[in-house]
Amino acid sequence: MNKINPNVDFYFNKASKWQKEMEQLRVIALQSGLTEELKWGCPCYTFQKSNVIIIHGFKEYCAFLFIKGALLKDSKHILIQQTENVQAGRQIRFTSVNEIIKLENTLKAYIKEAIEVEKAGLKVTLNKNTNLVFPEEFKNKLEENPSLKLAFQALTPGRQRAYNLFFSAPKQSKTREARVEKCIPQILIGKGLND
């Protein structure tokens, strides 16, 4: 079993609805020979410095997130794509320690396969959707403000896509408009949505 990283302990020691479940996932990850690190504020398990899995908790469940889960065979059909926009990662979700214990051998097999994916140097082929369809509220702002249009065009494709997803998500025009207004200053200084 690989060593527990003391920098990650706080994550497992904080009061959480899923504390016992996440501790069980930690044991399985460490027994699989992965190195424990803290990335994005979550326990991340790596193989030769490549990210393999992350443990994270949500309101309704906790999960193992396989970074390149789309490349796994998923023979048990338990991998879940979080949203339609997630291309590479896949989750296995849990709501009890018993679920984790029942799937322990399967989880170890999936981790072993994920390590083999890293050893082979496989990459997920990402869809490059360059044709973004912007909501009317944002199109209008781009037409009204040439500086905003230039600043937006100067952003990386990933930042443009993140803004587009954020602006397009609400069903109500009023909410879309409020999101656009809120983000204009950030776009004008060349920052992405999450910068």
Side-chain angles (χ1 to χ4, degrees):
M1 181 160 139
N2 271 13
K3 289 193 287 185
I4 287 175
N5 182 337
N7 295 329
V8 183
D9 282 342
F10 87 93
Y11 188 87
F12 295 99
N13 294 334
K14 65 183 180 180
S16 165
K17 178 178 181 179
W18 307 112
Q19 187 172 1
K20 288 184 175 118
E21 289 79 4
M22 291 191 290
E23 287 172 358
Q24 187 67 37
L25 292 173
R26 182 186 205 185
V27 168
I28 292 168
L30 290 171
Q31 286 175 344
S32 299
L34 298 173
T35 302
E36 185 174 63
E37 298 183 33
L38 185 67
K39 295 188 179 183
W40 309 286
C42 295
C44 181
Y45 298 86
T46 63
F47 174 77
Q48 295 178 351
K49 301 192 181 194
S50 293
N51 302 329
V52 177
I53 51 176
I54 293 174
I55 296 174
H56 51 180
F58 295 91
K59 189 176 181 180
E60 302 297 325
Y61 59 87
C62 67
F64 257 161
L65 171 74
F66 287 83
I67 303 293
K68 294 181 183 176
L71 298 177
L72 301 181
K73 291 180 188 123
D74 193 19
S75 57
K76 302 287 185 185
H77 308 288
I78 56 176
L79 292 175
I80 297 168
Q81 183 176 358
Q82 268 180 286
T83 69
E84 63 186 44
N85 298 314
V86 174
Q87 295 186 47
R90 297 293 184 270
Q91 290 180 332
I92 303 176
R93 298 176 178 174
F94 305 98
T95 56
S96 74
V97 172
N98 286 338
E99 285 179 309
I100 296 167
I101 291 169
K102 283 180 189 175
L103 280 176
E104 185 170 346
N105 290 334
T106 301
L107 294 174
K108 287 179 178 178
Y110 275 52
I111 292 169
K112 185 177 179 184
E113 185 182 352
I115 291 169
E116 293 304 316
V117 163
E118 288 307 322
K119 284 180 180 176
L122 301 178
K123 305 271 185 223
V124 175
T125 304
L126 301 176
N127 297 330
K128 292 192 170 43
N129 182 1
T130 54
N131 299 326
L132 298 176
V133 179
F134 298 107
E136 288 300 316
E137 297 81 2
F138 188 55
K139 284 183 194 175
N140 294 340
K141 290 293 179 187
L142 291 174
E143 288 173 20
E144 292 170 11
N145 187 339
S147 298
L148 177 63
K149 189 172 187 175
L150 282 172
F152 188 76
Q153 289 172 341
L155 293 174
T156 63
R159 286 187 172 107
Q160 290 178 6
R161 185 169 179 265
Y163 276 120
N164 188 48
L165 291 170
F166 182 67
F167 297 154
S168 300
K171 292 178 182 171
Q172 294 186 358
S173 176
K174 187 169 101 175
T175 308
R176 288 191 299 270
E177 201 166 305
R179 285 187 175 191
V180 169
E181 285 294 333
K182 179 182 173 191
C183 292
I184 288 174
Q186 203 162 330
I187 293 169
L188 287 171
I189 60 170
K191 298 259 184 192
L193 182 64
N194 299 311
D195 291 346

